Amino acid sequence: MASFFVDVASNVGYSSILLGVVVSLLLMLIMRKQTGSRGLNLPPGPIKIPWPLNYLTALARLFENPIELVRKLNEQYGDIVYLSDGYEDYVFLGSLELVKDVLVRRADVTSDREEFWELRAVTNYKGGIIFSNGQEWVDHRRFGLAALRNFGMGKKSLQHSINQEARILAETMAGYNGSPFNPALVINNAVSNIICTITFGHRFEYSDPKFKEMIRRINYFVAEDPGVLSTLPVFFMNERRRNLLEVKKFLEDDIREHEKNFDPNDVRDVIDMYLLEVQRAQKSGEKTEFGMEKAWALIFDLFLAGTETTSTTLLWAFLFVAGYPEIQEKILSEINDVVGNSRTPEYEDRTSMPYTEATLMEVLRFRPIAPSGVPHRCTVDMKVRDYDIPKDTNIGINVLYIHHDPKIWGDPEVFRPERFLSEDGKEVVKNEAYLPFGVARRVCLGEQLAKMEMFLFFTNVLQRFKVAFPPGAVPDYGFGHRITTLLPKTYQIILEER
């Protein structure tokens, strides 16, 4: 019998046998992983690929737009989809009904967030608003809301700062003298300066090398899909991780400067306000989630939420008005009727400019900046319809899919601001399925700030300039390859003084 196996091995080849054994073991591993979830009635979706084969599929997906992937999954499997990458499980909700049921009605058990392992491991991230949980999240979110309100959200003082920055932006744009240019950098700088004013107490010149570098690094973090690279041990240092450490250093340097010059009787900005809260808690001896080692993470999250998203919305807005000159003319007509040329637009003007507001809403419907938001995480085993959602599953809203559902919008692939207007065109009409800022307890902290910035920057520029494409340019409303935000493809515009 032994000689028989030796003869077989000689004929087949030892390498082939070894390969067969490896493949068989892997197939057994797959079957074992799959049988582990056979008792669950998971939502429909692609087959779960276990470790280590998940790394191969993840590498293949590096060449696929992840935003398109998620949208196609809902199109293929319906309004609830289960997806696993081998180390994390996700459920994507593609209907308003499911969003209300899972994230609003059951907010008590679906308001957590996945621990951002890489961010915490590389930078010791603690105390932020976006990626924290529990009491730490509750206290810092409450503080963030209070800080934004205290330093101008909804106030005239902040409106003045935005309009001042908008004038600087307009002057910078005028410096191109009617030549084609890419507006991305100057818009990003302008919007970033608003959150700088609130958090640091001052703005930066657009030419400031440290400022430019910080904005570039933050945008890189938001844009890049780390894929399997984010699971590598901390000692594997790559550009993404170096960027994170440099941003942390930039923020901590400014925080240390604030500590040196801190005056509790003269609270200048969010950092001072945080310092005051830390000192108050220390003096009272009360237990607190606040600490100076957490201050940079709070500021980091305010930048993530308050810069790239708003500037990207404005990039889409200028792209659409350049591509639809008839829409631009209607907006200009409202500006002329309500504001004129003798004064600067004010945020209160939006109530008398429904078409302008509807256009900005249509921008965020057509191209929601956070197409699946930042996923929630359930803290218990759940039943959704007849499906099982295991504890610790990440739950995302497929906003892009919902915003392009023909059952809701009729003609979702048409850019049409009128869908948000009453029949007489005099009032803005909201739709429950309009979800660009998320829902429930994790709704965007800076929604009101973002709306104010979008309206004032947008109207300031259109009051002064006609926006057009260079001769022969064909508008492209497709989006680039990003993991968390919808960014328009690079484009150029020409500005003509009115």
Side-chain angles (χ1 to χ4, degrees):
M1 181 65 70
S3 61
F4 170 77
F5 284 112
V6 171
D7 290 339
V8 170
S10 300
N11 293 327
V12 174
Y14 289 102
S15 59
S16 298
I17 293 176
L18 180 60
L19 178 61
V21 170
V22 171
V23 170
S24 299
L25 289 173
L26 286 175
L27 288 173
M28 289 173 60
L29 177 62
I30 291 173
M31 292 174 66
R32 186 175 180 182
K33 290 283 186 179
Q34 295 299 327
T35 55
S37 58
R38 276 182 187 171
L40 299 177
N41 181 30
L42 297 171
I47 185 172
K48 182 175 181 178
I49 307 298
W51 182 92
L53 297 184
N54 62 300
Y55 285 97
L56 298 178
T57 58
L59 288 172
R61 285 175 181 165
L62 289 176
F63 303 97
E64 184 174 9
N65 190 315
I67 295 168
E68 277 289 358
L69 170 66
V70 172
R71 182 164 72 166
K72 288 177 181 176
L73 287 176
N74 276 117
E75 289 174 351
Q76 180 178 353
Y77 294 103
D79 59 0
I80 181 168
V81 174
Y82 171 82
L83 175 67
S84 176
D85 57 12
Y87 44 87
E88 289 289 349
D89 298 327
Y90 295 86
V91 166
F92 290 98
L93 308 177
S95 72
L96 182 62
E97 169 215 343
L98 283 170
V99 170
K100 284 183 175 181
D101 175 32
V102 178
L103 300 182
V104 179
R105 297 190 187 99
R106 299 193 238 182
D108 286 347
V109 295
T110 59
S111 293
D112 263 18
R113 286 265 163 84
E114 171 194 356
E115 181 178 283
F116 200 147
W117 175 85
E118 184 185 36
L119 182 62
R120 189 177 291 272
V122 173
T123 67
N124 195 31
Y125 171 99
K126 294 177 183 178
I129 299 170
I130 299 177
F131 305 111
S132 59
N133 291 306
Q135 195 59 44
E136 184 177 68
W137 169 68
V138 171
D139 289 351
H140 280 84
R141 181 179 172 87
R142 186 183 296 123
F143 172 87
L145 276 170
L148 288 176
R149 291 185 184 125
N150 194 51
F151 290 102
M153 190 165 70
K155 294 183 179 180
K156 287 279 188 180
S157 56
L158 182 59
Q159 178 174 272
H160 174 74
S161 296
I162 297 172
N163 274 330
Q164 186 178 33
E165 194 65 44
R167 286 192 290 272
I168 296 171
L169 172 64
E171 285 300 320
T172 304
M173 288 178 157
Y176 288 95
N177 298 315
S179 299
F181 72 101
N182 178 356
L185 182 60
V186 290
I187 290 175
N188 208 323
N189 288 344
V191 172
S192 298
N193 260 332
I194 303 305
I195 204 70
C196 285
T197 301
I198 294 171
T199 55
F200 299 142
H202 62 87
R203 65 179 298 278
F204 290 88
E205 293 297 327
Y206 296 169
S207 58
D208 187 309
K210 287 186 178 180
F211 175 61
K212 290 166 63 176
E213 188 64 12
M214 184 192 68
I215 299 305
R216 185 192 70 80
R217 291 182 185 278
I218 288 178
N219 288 345
Y220 182 91
F221 173 78
V222 173
E224 191 206 14
D225 178 6
V228 296
L229 298 179
S230 64
T231 66
L232 294 175
V234 178
F235 58 80
F236 283 97
M237 192 57 59
N238 53 31
E239 185 177 0
R240 173 185 171 83
R241 294 176 175 182
R242 284 190 291 270
N243 274 337
L244 280 172
L245 291 173
E246 286 298 322
V247 170
K248 179 184 179 181
K249 181 180 182 302
F250 178 91
L251 297 176
E252 286 185 329
D253 286 348
D254 207 293
I255 290 167
R256 278 191 287 270
E257 284 300 314
H258 275 69
E259 288 182 286
K260 292 177 184 176
N261 305 313
F262 177 63
D263 180 357
N265 299 311
D266 180 23
V267 178
R268 302 160 294 179
D269 47 46
V270 173
I271 296 177
D272 274 357
M273 188 173 169
Y274 196 86
L275 278 162
L276 188 66
E277 179 60 27
V278 171
Q279 288 192 1
R280 185 199 64 76
Q282 289 174 343
K283 287 179 181 178
S284 66
E286 68 181 60
K287 184 179 178 181
T288 179
E289 293 293 338
F290 298 102
M292 291 315 298
E293 75 281 0
K294 300 179 179 181
W296 81 269
L298 174 76
I299 304 304
F300 176 73
D301 282 1
L302 289 176
F303 267 91
L304 284 184
T307 56
E308 202 269 347
T309 51
T310 302
S311 62
T312 299
T313 303
L314 288 168
L315 280 177
W316 281 114
F318 291 125
L319 174 64
F320 282 116
V321 295
Y324 293 90
E326 69 280 8
I327 291 177
Q328 186 174 171
E329 287 305 310
K330 290 179 182 178
I331 295 170
L332 179 61
S333 178
E334 276 195 338
I335 293 174
N336 288 336
D337 291 344
V338 177
V339 183
N341 294 316
S342 60
R343 70 172 177 89
T344 303
E346 297 181 356
Y347 190 49
E348 293 75 13
D349 292 328
R350 78 192 189 285
T351 58
S352 302
M353 300 171 63
Y355 190 84
T356 303
E357 187 172 3
T359 300
L360 290 171
M361 292 175 70
E362 178 69 343
V363 169
L364 283 170
R365 181 203 67 85
F366 199 84
R367 290 291 180 257
I369 304 310
S372 56
V374 181
H376 295 225
R377 193 176 183 92
C378 61
T379 56
V380 298
D381 293 335
M382 299 173 58
K383 274 279 189 182
V384 178
R385 293 179 180 164
D386 292 327
Y387 299 118
D388 295 305
I389 311 296
K391 178 184 176 182
D392 293 331
T393 298
N394 299 300
I395 304 173
I397 309 172
N398 197 339
V399 179
L400 186 64
Y401 180 79
I402 295 172
H403 280 193
H404 285 259
D405 186 344
K407 296 190 297 293
I408 300 172
W409 306 98
D411 54 352
E413 300 307 320
V414 176
F415 186 84
R416 186 168 59 84
E418 288 81 5
R419 74 176 75 249
F420 289 106
L421 292 175
S422 59
E423 288 188 13
D424 60 8
K426 294 181 179 179
E427 293 182 7
V428 171
V429 177
K430 295 181 180 178
N431 189 309
E432 279 190 303
Y434 177 70
L435 305 170
F437 296 101
V439 296
R441 297 177 184 176
R442 290 284 187 169
V443 69
C444 178
L445 182 76
E447 178 178 350
Q448 293 305 314
L449 173 61
K451 289 178 177 178
M452 179 183 282
E453 289 183 80
M454 286 187 291
F455 180 82
L456 292 177
F457 278 119
F458 189 58
T459 52
N460 267 280
V461 171
L462 291 185
Q463 182 187 43
R464 179 169 175 179
F465 302 107
K466 176 183 178 181
V467 183
F469 290 122
V474 178
D476 186 346
Y477 305 113
F479 44 85
H481 187 101
R482 282 209 160 188
I483 180 60
T484 55
T485 56
L486 277 183
L487 185 72
K489 295 178 182 178
T490 301
Y491 68 89
Q492 290 190 323
I493 53 174
I494 290 175
L495 300 183
E496 178 184 331
E497 294 268 4
R498 295 192 188 278

